Structures are given as C-alpha cells and as structure tokens.
Amino acid sequence: EDQVTQSPEALRLQEGESSSLNCSYTVSGLRGLFWYRQDPGKGPEFLFTLYSAGEEKEKERLKATLTKKESFLHITAPKPEDSATYLCAGTGGSYIPTFGRGTSLIVHP
Amino acid sequence: DGGITQSPKYLFRKEGQNVTLSCEQNLNHDAMYWYRQDPGQGLRLIYYSQIVNDFQKGDIAEGYSVSREKKESFPLTVTSAQKNPTAFYLCASSIPSGLTDTQYFGPGTRLTVL
C-alpha cells in the first residue's frame, strides 16, 4: 500500500526564518511527486511536480527537491503570506495520487 | 479562463436528504475525481472517472454516487446512507497517462448536516 507522510504537522516561523517541510513516501513505481498549497476554505493550488530523484524546482521563495525516499519543500525568507497548509502527494502505477495529511505553516511578522 | 468550478460553495443537508454537488471543468481533461477532506486528515478519494460513462469507487465510496455523462461534468450525490457527510468536498481533474498526472482542484463545497 502506498503511503505518504508529512512532517512536521505544524510549523511556526518568524518572517525571514528559512526552513524545510518533509514528505516521506513509499509509492510503488513513483510517476510523480506533487506539492500543493491550500489556504483555509479553498481548494489546493498546484505548486510543483517532481519526476525523478535529484530533480529540483523553484518558484519565488519555494524550492522543492526529490530523493528516492523523500521530498523537501524549502522555504527561504518566508513572508506572512506564505502561511498555508502544504500538501504532498505521490502517484504510482495506479495513476491515483496518495496524499499526506499536510503541514500547516504559520509565518509571524 | 480554463478551470474547475464547484457549486454550491456551502450546502446544508437535513437528515435523510440526498444532495448533489456540482463539478464542471473546461480544461479538456479526461479524468475527474472527488475527494473528501476532514480536519487533520489527508484527502480521501471517493470516486474517480477516467473516461465518459465510466467511473470507479475510491477508498470511501459508501453512501455516495456519481455519474459521468459528459466530459466536462462529474456530479457527486451524497445519499442518506452516508452517516457522517459533514466535510469539505473537493473535485479535481487531470490528464491521466500523459506526461504529467498533475491534478488541478476546484474551490470546494462545504457540506453541513443540520
């Protein structure tokens, strides 16, 4: 059974304090590892897809990386507007993604 | 603009009622999905459809039904058999078996049982 585990469950940062969110996965035949941002009461917003170990993608203050066992979402010098829940998901041979429970990020000004 | 729309945004259901949640997409995606999201839990798959007139049960299909008569539309009915329907419902679409399986989500419908 495919599994995706995100840590920590919650993270509080001061504005400008860089950190990383972790996504550990056991997905048979990984086709893609996805990161989403979700604001309260809204649908998840797509951020990144990573396909193979060693791949990296960046968008503004966010950088996603992938190894054979985990993915990291690095947040550099975060701002209060980066506060959200970040979801990780992996898709294997079934083409149906398995989602983690998310990391709730709060950035204090 | 291309995207996924869900309606209504908020829905209230009385005990014993069936309610239908709407999901429409104009992204020309073949696959559509319904998820349920509860506080502190990940997204749980209810039903999915990869082509018109075909759909499969997900992990928590009991008490729900769907139809896929058009490529653009994938309505979800929450029946009276669903004992704990209060949740946030998310619809998504994707192009399966393509270069990317990335799912794109709608804004969600919050269902509350009165």
Side-chain angles (χ1 to χ4, degrees), chain A residues 11-43:
Chain A
L11 182 62
R12 293 179 180 268
L13 300 173
Q14 289 298 126
E15 184 171 3
E17 179 186 3
S18 301
S19 188
S20 296
L21 282 56
N22 177 264
C23 172
S24 297
Y25 66 89
T26 52
V27 175
S28 178
L30 185 76
R31 290 174 45 85
L33 189 292
F34 309 94
W35 282 98
Y36 292 87
R37 169 191 170 128
Q38 186 176 24
D39 292 302
K42 296 188 177 181

Side-chain angles (χ1 to χ4, degrees), chain A:
Chain A
E1 181 181 341
D2 295 341
Q3 285 192 329
V4 173
T5 304
Q6 293 188 245
S7 61
E9 289 186 12
L11 182 62
R12 293 179 180 268
L13 300 173
Q14 289 298 126
E15 184 171 3
E17 179 186 3
S18 301
S19 188
S20 296
L21 282 56
N22 177 264
C23 172
S24 297
Y25 66 89
T26 52
V27 175
S28 178
L30 185 76
R31 290 174 45 85
L33 189 292
F34 309 94
W35 282 98
Y36 292 87
R37 169 191 170 128
Q38 186 176 24
D39 292 302
K42 296 188 177 181
E45 174 190 349
F46 170 71
L47 293 174
F48 305 107
T49 304
L50 303 168
Y51 294 103
S52 58
E55 188 175 3
E56 300 182 352
K57 290 190 176 177
E58 291 188 63
K59 180 180 180 180
E60 296 181 355
R61 294 177 293 281
L62 301 177
K63 178 180 174 181
T65 62
L66 181 66
T67 73
K68 290 187 177 180
K69 294 183 178 181
E70 54 194 351
S71 177
F72 293 94
L73 185 65
H74 306 278
I75 304 176
T76 302
K79 298 181 178 182
E81 53 262 42
D82 294 322
S83 298
T85 295
Y86 291 86
L87 301 174
C88 172
T91 299
S94 70
Y95 301 103
I96 304 298
T98 299
F99 281 84
R101 296 189 176 189
T103 292
S104 174
L105 173 66
I106 297 176
V107 181
H108 296 285

Side-chain angles (χ1 to χ4, degrees), chain B residues 49-108:
Chain B
S49 168
Q50 295 188 321
I51 56 173
V52 175
N53 292 322
D54 188 46
F55 48 83
Q56 285 78 39
K57 293 181 179 179
D59 300 322
I60 56 166
E62 185 175 353
Y64 301 97
S65 66
V66 294
S67 63
R68 186 86 186 278
E69 298 177 359
K70 298 186 300 181
K71 186 176 184 178
E72 301 79 17
S73 179
F74 191 40
L76 173 73
T77 297
V78 184
T79 75
S80 58
Q82 172 49 240
K83 297 306 178 186
N84 185 23
T86 294
F88 190 50
Y89 291 86
L90 289 161
C91 178
S93 71
S94 72
I95 305 174
S97 307
L99 294 177
T100 172
D101 302 318
T102 302
Q103 291 188 339
Y104 296 89
F105 285 84

